[in-house]
Amino acid sequence: MKKNLLFIGLLVAVLLTSSCNKYLDIQPVGTVIPKTESDFRALMVSAYISYPAHKSRLNLRTDELILDEYSVDIGEIKDLYLWNDQNPDVKTFPMAWETIYKSIFYANYVIAEGKNVAGDSDEMQQIRAEAYLIRAYSHFELLNTYSENFNPASAATDRGIPISLRVDLEQLFKPASVEEVYAQVLADMKEAEALLHVSDNANNVKYRFSKRAYYAFEARVRLYRGEWSLAVEAANKALAINADLENLNLPTSKIPTDFESKEMIQAWERVGDSKVSRSTFINPQFMASYSKGDLRLTRFFQKSGHDYVSAKGTDTRYNSTFRNAELYLIKAESEAQLGKKDQAIASLSTLLKNRLIPETYSEAIQRLATLSNDALKAEIIAERGRELTLEGLRWYDLKRSSRPAIEHHYLDQVYQLQKNDPRYVIRYPKESISNNPDL
């Protein structure tokens, strides 16, 4: 135990040398072994801020971006862009793995020691709930990055990722099945639900989990598992707390990913990375998927020379994990999957009314009414792409839906991700495999 405590102190000291988010009330825990509520809250802050910006690396694999071949950072990201997971350049950004497990390490310590050391007050219960949710969310992200999508027929045998539940530096990490990982994610969520006290967080601590964020998380988990009714139920619970959307028709509206946006649920993950941002432009073909009267064209993207870049930016102001727009899209997709076409269109129209100019909105609603249910499902996935662009969810959506062919260009050569390409399931990081034969 002493060895583990010392490791926590060292790890905290290293991670807290990074600059603090200018809008979050982050206070360093230092190297003191946690004993009080405030110590454990500070340790949880470390768990939040050490979580990597891996969503921006997933964005490189999608159809959203094109590479700036003259970027000074090209050597670090080109192999991610070209899906070269087998033999990447030694300078290549590693996909998130160890860094996510570091956040899990913090959460494990809070779960193991928090109640015994600092008591069982409402605040400590809230802190422990957040630890369970960080652990659940981290395993969920690792699973969706490195494993096959959930399939009830094969989940028991499909290879998942290692589950980490203990503060033990010498534990052996062996992959669990997809079913086992999801069972642990859901078990942690159940523990958290019973401990949560905060319904919704104030803007200055919007990075934390709350009941509203819990329900949004559950809605996404149920969606990815194909549990359509449960996804709608969870989304409705989150929207019952706050159902607001930014109306982009209004000049006073904020970009929806702004942490002060009325639809922001949890502004935690850094979905923009500076090296990725300054090395890429928006794919013109992707931009062409927006209609002329779609207000997101001018709010989500901005001109840069002859090209366009993301207006969502790399500033921590635009951190985003969950927001209400996704909940309406989850409802729409789940209702369409349940054959409830009218309800699906109603959920989708709630979002579109706040994103399109009135004339374009009217045309869109008329067109949706003419679609078959299968065509409506495809349209909802496309709408997810337009609304959630560059927030790190596009790769997961492509992977769990049609797994389409994608074409990228580099140095006058064409690189292709084939339809149903096995590279939709990313390999474990090469270094991690070298360090752990059990992988």
Side-chain angles (χ1 to χ4, degrees):
M1 175 58 75
K2 183 178 180 181
K3 174 178 62 177
N4 292 334
L5 292 176
L6 290 173
F7 184 78
I8 285 178
L10 290 171
L11 195 56
V12 169
V14 170
L15 290 172
L16 287 173
T17 59
S18 59
S19 60
C20 293
N21 189 314
K22 64 184 180 185
Y23 73 86
L24 305 181
D25 66 343
I26 290 176
Q27 298 295 328
V29 66
T31 57
V32 177
I33 295 173
K35 296 179 180 179
T36 66
E37 284 182 9
S38 60
D39 290 340
F40 279 97
R41 169 51 72 191
L43 190 60
M44 283 303 300
V45 167
S46 297
Y48 282 116
I49 66 174
S50 65
Y51 197 84
H54 84 111
K55 294 284 183 64
S56 64
R57 302 177 196 185
L58 293 178
N59 291 340
L60 287 165
R61 304 175 74 91
T62 73
D63 55 353
E64 298 165 284
L65 298 171
I66 58 174
L67 203 60
D68 177 5
E69 297 178 2
Y70 300 99
S71 167
V72 296
D73 301 308
I74 195 74
E76 297 174 78
I77 68 171
K78 66 177 177 62
D79 281 325
L80 299 179
Y81 180 76
L82 301 176
W83 313 288
N84 180 18
D85 306 320
Q86 187 74 30
N87 293 296
D89 190 293
V90 293
K91 295 185 293 185
T92 300
F93 257 8
M95 292 297 295
W97 177 270
E98 180 182 349
T99 45
I100 294 182
Y101 278 107
K102 282 182 181 178
S103 286
I104 294 174
F105 181 91
Y106 283 120
N108 283 343
Y109 185 82
V110 174
I111 291 167
E113 301 294 332
K115 182 178 179 180
N116 293 335
V117 174
D120 198 31
S121 65
D122 286 355
E123 175 60 19
M124 275 306 303
Q125 288 185 7
Q126 175 69 28
I127 290 170
R128 287 167 51 220
E130 293 174 41
Y132 277 114
L133 289 173
I134 283 181
R135 188 167 79 180
Y137 187 83
S138 296
H139 283 104
F140 176 71
E141 282 290 306
L142 286 164
L143 188 65
N144 281 287
T145 301
Y146 296 104
S147 303
E148 276 292 349
N149 297 323
F150 179 78
N151 180 341
S154 61
T157 54
D158 285 340
R159 187 212 65 186
I161 49 96
I163 298 173
S164 175
L165 303 179
R166 307 190 313 274
V167 182
D168 181 357
L169 302 183
E170 297 176 355
Q171 63 186 303
L172 297 176
F173 283 103
K174 295 183 178 180
S177 69
V178 169
E179 184 175 87
E180 289 171 327
V181 179
Y182 262 118
Q184 185 59 53
V185 168
L186 292 171
D188 280 347
M189 293 178 70
K190 184 176 181 181
E191 292 282 353
E193 186 179 20
L195 296 169
L196 281 168
H197 289 279
V198 176
S199 180
D200 194 12
N201 280 310
N203 286 339
N204 67 316
V205 289
K206 190 65 83 173
Y207 65 94
R208 298 178 186 174
F209 274 100
S210 62
K211 289 183 181 180
R212 187 178 167 210
Y214 170 88
Y215 294 130
F217 179 23
E218 183 184 3
R220 188 184 293 173
V221 169
R222 300 301 183 182
L223 180 80
Y224 285 18
R225 285 170 58 87
E227 297 168 333
W228 314 119
S229 295
L230 292 175
V232 172
E233 182 181 337
N236 282 334
K237 288 180 179 178
L239 291 171
I241 298 172
N242 180 327
D244 291 341
L245 290 167
E246 289 288 340
N247 186 349
L248 301 187
N249 285 283
L250 302 177
T252 56
S253 64
K254 296 182 181 297
I255 188 169
T257 53
D258 190 304
F259 81 98
E260 292 185 312
S261 159
K262 65 175 63 176
E263 66 184 70
M264 181 57 68
I265 301 172
Q266 187 175 13
W268 171 27
E269 294 173 275
R270 290 187 297 120
V271 296
D273 177 89
S274 58
K275 290 186 178 181
V276 173
S277 178
R278 63 177 176 244
S279 304
T280 56
F281 302 111
I282 307 301
N283 186 341
Q285 293 182 349
F286 182 79
M287 288 189 69
S289 69
Y290 293 80
S291 59
K292 187 176 180 180
D294 194 324
L295 295 161
R296 292 170 295 193
L297 270 170
T298 56
R299 299 301 296 276
F300 289 4
F301 311 114
Q302 59 190 17
K303 193 80 171 171
S304 176
H306 297 294
D307 298 291
Y308 285 86
V309 295
S310 172
K312 293 183 176 180
T314 59
D315 192 295
T316 50
R317 184 176 192 91
Y318 304 110
N319 285 6
S320 182
T321 298
F322 303 110
R323 56 189 181 89
N324 284 349
E326 185 191 359
L327 296 179
Y328 286 106
L329 288 163
I330 287 174
K331 286 188 62 179
E333 182 178 345
S334 299
E335 288 158 349
Q337 292 285 356
L338 292 167
K340 300 177 180 180
K341 181 181 176 182
D342 290 344
Q343 292 181 34
I345 291 175
S347 294
L348 189 56
S349 66
T350 300
L351 174 63
L352 295 180
K353 189 173 184 179
N354 291 276
R355 300 297 190 253
L356 309 178
I357 63 173
E359 181 181 355
T360 303
Y361 169 72
S362 179
E363 294 170 354
I365 297 306
Q366 292 177 30
R367 186 177 69 84
L368 289 173
T370 67
L371 298 179
S372 67
N373 203 53
D374 285 342
L376 178 61
K377 293 175 190 176
E379 177 62 23
I380 292 168
I381 293 293
E383 187 56 46
R384 282 181 63 91
R386 290 187 284 268
E387 174 62 30
L388 304 173
T389 182
L390 300 176
E391 293 177 47
L393 298 178
R394 177 70 170 166
W395 177 253
Y396 296 154
D397 284 341
L398 296 175
K399 177 186 171 188
R400 69 183 179 84
S401 57
S402 61
R403 296 194 178 188
I406 303 175
E407 191 173 278
H408 284 172
H409 297 254
Y410 177 64
L411 297 180
D412 298 322
Q413 293 189 48
V414 177
Y415 296 80
Q416 291 185 324
L417 189 72
Q418 304 292 339
K419 183 174 176 59
N420 295 319
D421 198 299
R423 287 174 292 178
Y424 269 106
V425 178
I426 300 174
R427 291 167 53 88
Y428 293 157
K430 201 170 183 179
E431 184 180 53
S432 298
I433 295 174
S434 299
N435 294 333
N436 183 3
D438 288 326
L439 294 179

